[in-house]
Amino acid sequence: MQFAKRNKKILTSFIFFLTILSDSCTEASPRRHISDSKIVSSESIFYSEILPSLSGKTVVLVTNPSGIGRYPEKILREFKANKVKIKHLIGLEHGFLGLEEDFSKTPVTVDSTFQLPIYHIYRVKNSEIPTLLKGTDAVIFDVLDMGMRCYTYLSVLKRLMDSLPDRDKSRFIVLDHPNPALYLGARGEQLEQKFINFAGEFPSLFMTGLTMGEAARFYNGEYLENSVKLEVISPKNLRRDFNWEKEGIPWTTPSPNLPTLDSAMNYLGLVLLEGVNVSVGRGTQAPFVYFGAPWMDEPDKIVSDLNEGSKGEYYYQSVFFKPSFGPFKGEICRGLRLTVVKRTYDPIRMAYQLIASLKKNYKDFKWRQYPDGTHNIDFLWGTERFRESIDSEVSYENFKESFSQVESQEKQKIRKYFLY
């Protein structure tokens, strides 16, 4: 009996030891492999179900590497197999390959891959867009959006929907994607008429609270009386509160300045630094991770206060960098590196407190202005209140309270257009 008890003890200890050893050798990963993802992409649905329905038709294609433009050879092969003719391409900011830092200097160029004209929509007059779309059976629109009004792809969507001729005949097909700001919901203020520009044209809050497909549904319903024959191809099994990495959704780069998900998460707030005289890391190995300027001496002196105000959601470290594009091109900059720890952070609060700190601590800080004296930040935010509140040393809490009612109303208004 005692022998049996002793053996049982040894066996139990051995099993416990193996369990501990197994756990210590297993790396806990916050990420899910793409092959294990339950999300069915809009791209796979498009090729299997939608493209065959366009057989014998002529289309206009709007895409880049964040959509089906990532694989142009497949577009050529599959469109040809289904007898779908591409009339021409519509060019977005950063070009068809998503590699260009500057806007095209001419309205139309010839794409080397497709050997077709590509019309750069930001160089084309609004009155000329209907001509570009006339005689086509469908517009296919597929790009990854950031869920923000100041991201120009949303302006392109609006301009094309506004200009679509023969709305009762042409199909407007949007391949939908999740975006990094979706779970944050609608935030910020409405765009004032005098601040409408290419980087701020869509009638929404600063953060739309919508996917690109939902934004198209919203605009069609609220502003075009549902006159556009809109078809949104939705990813299957997508939830509004999804976690990008845990769901195994691959990041597809929408521009050279958002190469990683970290850059995209930081962009939600750091984009507002484009309204002040700093570099946001464009033309470095870490765009929208690094930011700073040659005049930002001893950046460590503001790190403690900024980190304390972050509520543990993000933190800053001092860095050196030399941008090869944009402000301070070729100059050594002192600055900070932003690391987001909790994706639920408030990007607007982060940007507000950061810019307020830069203004308070550096005599060379300036709001970036256009030649006519207007301020870049006002066009990004949509009103003058972001800038004026910082200049008046208004707390973020009081600033946020000034548009809380607008936020609440907008969240109710857009809800009926949700797809997830």
Side-chain angles (χ1 to χ4, degrees):
M1 180 69 73
Q2 287 181 343
F3 181 75
K5 280 185 177 180
R6 189 178 65 183
N7 279 353
K8 187 175 181 181
K9 269 187 171 183
I10 292 172
L11 182 61
T12 302
S13 299
F14 182 65
I15 291 172
F16 177 75
F17 171 76
L18 286 178
T19 302
I20 296 297
L21 184 63
S22 175
D23 287 346
S24 66
C25 293
T26 302
E27 181 183 359
S29 174
R31 299 181 176 182
R32 173 177 286 184
H33 194 278
I34 182 177
S35 62
D36 297 325
S37 178
K38 296 179 181 178
I39 306 297
V40 180
S41 71
S42 56
E43 176 180 335
S44 63
I45 298 169
F46 171 75
Y47 278 120
S48 63
E49 300 177 19
I50 306 302
L51 187 60
S53 73
L54 292 168
S55 181
K57 305 296 185 182
T58 299
V59 304
V60 166
L61 181 61
V62 191
T63 190
N64 67 11
S66 68
I68 60 174
R70 181 182 70 260
Y71 196 171
E73 295 83 2
K74 184 175 182 179
I75 295 174
L76 289 167
R77 184 171 60 248
E78 295 296 326
F79 278 53
K80 182 179 179 180
N82 285 277
K83 297 182 173 61
V84 178
K85 179 184 177 183
I86 302 174
K87 183 180 181 182
H88 50 247
L89 308 170
I90 295 293
L92 303 124
E93 184 182 359
H94 306 301
F96 181 80
L97 298 179
L99 300 175
E100 305 302 323
E101 289 280 12
D102 283 318
F103 289 105
S104 170
K105 291 181 171 55
T106 60
V108 59
T109 55
V110 176
D111 180 77
S112 59
T113 303
F114 288 82
Q115 291 301 308
L116 289 171
I118 177 166
Y119 290 90
H120 305 283
I121 204 74
Y122 45 84
R123 295 290 185 212
V124 177
K125 295 178 182 177
N126 286 347
S127 60
E128 297 172 342
I129 299 176
T131 304
L132 300 182
L133 304 180
K134 193 167 183 62
T136 57
D137 299 295
V139 174
I140 300 170
F141 192 100
D142 181 25
V143 292
L144 174 67
D145 178 43
M146 289 298 293
M148 306 179 74
R149 184 184 60 224
C150 64
Y151 207 68
T152 60
Y153 299 168
L154 200 56
S155 297
V156 175
L157 176 79
K158 175 185 176 296
R159 290 187 183 187
L160 294 177
M161 292 182 71
D162 283 340
S163 304
L164 190 66
D166 306 320
R167 290 182 182 173
D168 57 330
K169 298 176 183 177
S170 295
R171 299 163 66 182
F172 198 99
I173 302 168
V174 178
L175 280 68
D176 207 11
H177 300 267
N179 66 59
L182 183 61
Y183 65 93
L184 292 170
R187 297 192 181 192
E189 293 191 80
Q190 287 285 2
L191 175 67
E192 291 183 358
Q193 185 74 21
K194 63 182 176 180
F195 295 120
I196 291 176
N197 67 105
F198 185 55
E201 192 171 306
F202 195 81
S204 71
L205 302 189
F206 180 66
M207 292 182 173
T208 67
L210 300 164
T211 65
M212 185 70 84
E214 291 172 340
R217 281 164 49 86
F218 165 78
Y219 191 68
N220 198 28
E222 296 292 323
Y223 294 89
L224 301 178
E225 299 179 340
N226 287 313
S227 59
V228 172
K229 288 180 64 176
L230 178 65
E231 301 172 36
V232 178
I233 307 172
S234 302
K236 293 180 181 176
N237 303 320
L238 179 66
R239 302 187 321 275
R240 203 156 206 85
D241 62 346
F242 79 100
N243 183 310
W244 205 287
E245 294 180 322
K246 289 183 179 179
E247 296 290 349
I249 302 172
W251 177 249
T252 53
T253 304
S255 86
N257 302 299
L258 298 174
T260 67
L261 185 57
D262 283 341
S263 290
M265 292 298 297
N266 289 7
Y267 175 89
L268 304 181
L270 290 187
V271 66
L272 289 166
L273 264 68
E274 303 224 65
V276 305
N277 61 329
V278 302
S279 164
V280 290
R282 292 179 184 269
T284 73
Q285 69 271 41
F288 291 102
V289 175
Y290 296 167
F291 62 90
W295 50 260
M296 197 173 160
D297 61 294
E298 295 187 65
D300 292 86
K301 69 185 181 183
I302 64 172
V303 165
S304 294
D305 286 344
L306 288 172
N307 284 347
E308 186 176 339
S310 75
K311 300 182 179 180
E313 296 174 342
Y314 49 87
Y315 63 88
Y316 299 93
Q317 302 162 272
S318 59
V319 292
F320 291 94
F321 64 93
K322 184 190 289 187
S324 61
F325 177 79
F328 309 116
K329 175 182 176 180
E331 297 184 55
I332 295 175
C333 294
R334 299 291 306 273
L336 297 175
R337 173 189 184 125
L338 171 66
T339 300
V340 173
V341 177
K342 297 180 181 178
R343 71 188 191 102
T344 52
Y345 87 114
D346 181 347
I348 299 173
R349 176 171 67 88
M350 182 274 290
Y352 189 91
Q353 293 178 339
L354 172 59
I355 293 174
S357 179
L358 293 175
K359 184 176 188 297
K360 178 181 177 181
N361 288 281
Y362 291 99
K363 62 181 177 59
D364 291 316
F365 169 93
K366 291 184 179 64
W367 295 106
R368 188 167 285 145
Q369 290 181 274
Y370 293 113
D372 64 358
T374 57
H375 291 84
N376 179 285
I377 190 73
D378 300 345
F379 288 87
L380 285 168
W381 178 252
T383 77
E384 296 167 328
R385 281 181 285 276
F386 186 96
R387 173 177 54 85
E388 290 177 343
S389 295
I390 288 178
D391 283 347
S392 300
E393 299 184 357
V394 174
S395 69
Y396 175 70
E397 288 69 26
N398 287 340
F399 170 62
K400 180 174 171 52
E401 183 60 31
S402 70
F403 57 84
S404 60
Q405 186 175 354
V406 172
E407 274 190 358
S408 180
Q409 291 170 347
E410 185 73 3
K411 286 175 181 178
Q412 290 301 315
K413 182 179 180 180
I414 65 177
R415 185 174 294 276
K416 66 180 178 180
Y417 300 103
F418 286 1
L419 292 170
Y420 316 98

